[in-house]
């Protein structure tokens, strides 16, 4: 299985636009909510102005961080050697990020219903809103983080790469791999994701943890098929 290489030129521009659009879609509702809260705070003394300011600041931070991380994550990957073939290229799955964002949506709806359709104290919609914002923020940050973690398996090496403010890579040549193992929790097994651990010895620099990837069995089998002992058989 060979995956496509990192796009250049027009396709790289398209990738940037698509990912920045996602950052906008995530951030604009929070900024709009903050603006609405600020307006209400001027006419309704029970709505604190700081809640609107906090929401706007959160949205702006997410927008800036999303733009930056999107630009960095779309940059080309490390150069491959002559004749080196990319077998598998994966990011950590986005399922946990999407799950957190989906959990936040009902909490925001509950907040709106309690605020507009009941006479309960404002502390109750505030609490549900903060829980929703926490899940939403955690989901968004996981999404952006996973964009910049890349696992690459070529016919010569296994590579881990992280790009955010700095570039960190770790790679293990296929000929030095001594152990390949898989780890899955019950939830990961049910959702088709897991972790593949590639080791060439003892120590963090001699181990690559391909965490939370979809279909980890296929990645592990691809690595095992390239081991010298397997090829000799």
């Amino acid at each position: 299985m060979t995956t496509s290489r990192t796009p250049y030129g027009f396709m790289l521009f398209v990738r940037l636009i698509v990912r920045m659009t996602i950052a906008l879609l995530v951030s604009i509702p929070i900024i709009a909510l903050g603006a609405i809260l600020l307006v209400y705070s001027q006419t309704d003394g029970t709505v604190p102005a700081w809640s609107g300011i906090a929401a706007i600041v959160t949205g702006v931070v997410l927008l800036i961080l999303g733009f930056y991380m999107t630009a960095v994550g779309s940059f080309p990957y490390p150069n491959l050697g002559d004749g080196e073939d990319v077998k598998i290229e994966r990011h950590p799955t986005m399922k946990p990020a999407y799950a957190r964002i989906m959990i936040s949506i009902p909490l925001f709806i509950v907040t709106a219903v309690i605020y507009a359709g009941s006479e309960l104290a404002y502390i109750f919609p505030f609490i549900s809103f903060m829980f929703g914002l926490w899940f939403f923020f955690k989901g968004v940050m996981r999404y952006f983080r996973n964009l910049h973690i890349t696992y690459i398996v070529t016919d010569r090496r296994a590579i881990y790469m992280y790009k955010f403010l700095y570039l960190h890579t770790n790679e293990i040549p296929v000929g030095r791999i001594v152990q390949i193992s898989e780890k899955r929790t019950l939830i990961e097994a049910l959702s088709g994701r897991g972790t593949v651990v590639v080791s060439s010895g003892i120590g963090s620099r001699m181990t690559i943890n391909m965490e939370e990837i979809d279909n980890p069995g296929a990645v592990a089998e691809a690595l095992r098929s390239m081991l010298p002992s397997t090829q000799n058989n």
Side-chain angles (χ1 to χ4, degrees):
M1 178 175 125
T2 302
T3 59
S4 59
R5 298 293 301 278
T6 304
Y8 292 84
F10 177 74
M11 292 306 299
L12 177 59
F13 175 76
V14 171
R15 171 180 282 194
L16 283 169
I17 294 300
V18 170
R19 291 187 175 179
M20 287 183 177
T21 300
I22 294 175
L24 280 171
L25 293 176
V26 166
S27 304
I28 286 178
I30 299 178
I31 296 174
L33 175 63
I36 292 172
L37 290 175
L38 274 180
V39 172
Y40 270 103
S41 68
Q42 303 301 317
T43 58
D44 189 345
T46 59
V47 179
W50 63 262
S51 61
I53 296 173
I56 291 175
V57 169
T58 300
V60 171
V61 169
L62 284 175
L63 184 62
I64 295 173
L65 194 59
F67 278 175
Y68 175 79
M69 295 182 73
T70 294
V72 172
S74 296
F75 284 6
Y77 296 151
N79 293 328
L80 301 177
D82 293 337
E84 187 173 7
D85 183 31
V86 176
K87 300 295 184 181
I88 294 176
E89 179 181 324
R90 299 279 179 87
H91 294 284
T93 179
M94 298 298 181
K95 292 175 183 176
Y98 294 150
R100 288 173 172 83
I101 293 174
M102 293 302 295
I103 291 173
S104 72
I105 294 175
L107 291 171
F108 289 142
I109 294 175
V110 168
T111 299
V113 171
I114 295 176
Y115 178 79
S118 72
E119 296 181 356
L120 293 174
Y122 286 116
I123 186 64
F124 294 103
F126 175 76
I127 291 174
S128 62
F129 171 74
M130 292 305 297
F131 272 107
L133 189 62
W134 185 82
F135 277 108
F136 186 81
F137 188 80
K138 291 285 287 185
V140 169
M141 294 309 299
R142 175 63 68 88
Y143 174 84
F144 286 130
R145 169 185 171 274
N146 288 354
L147 279 179
H148 307 295
I149 295 177
T150 307
Y151 306 113
I152 304 174
V153 176
T154 75
D155 55 353
R156 301 180 187 176
R157 51 186 170 156
I159 305 171
Y160 162 89
M161 180 174 62
Y162 179 78
K163 293 186 294 183
F164 177 59
L165 296 180
Y166 66 96
L167 174 64
H168 171 68
T169 61
N170 187 18
E171 62 181 69
I172 298 176
V174 171
R176 294 185 180 180
I177 296 176
V178 296
Q179 182 179 13
I180 299 170
S181 60
E182 299 179 50
K183 297 190 297 184
R184 301 191 196 190
T185 64
L186 176 61
I187 295 177
E188 288 176 337
L190 293 174
S191 59
R193 57 193 175 94
T195 298
V196 176
V197 181
V198 184
S199 301
S200 62
I202 300 175
S204 59
R205 291 295 299 177
M206 296 184 178
T207 302
I208 293 178
N209 292 306
M210 300 184 176
E211 298 176 332
E212 293 190 343
I213 57 175
D214 288 322
N215 194 13
V219 177
E221 285 303 316
L223 286 164
R224 293 188 184 105
S225 68
M226 294 185 293
L227 295 178
S229 58
T230 304
Q231 293 178 344
N232 292 336
N233 293 335

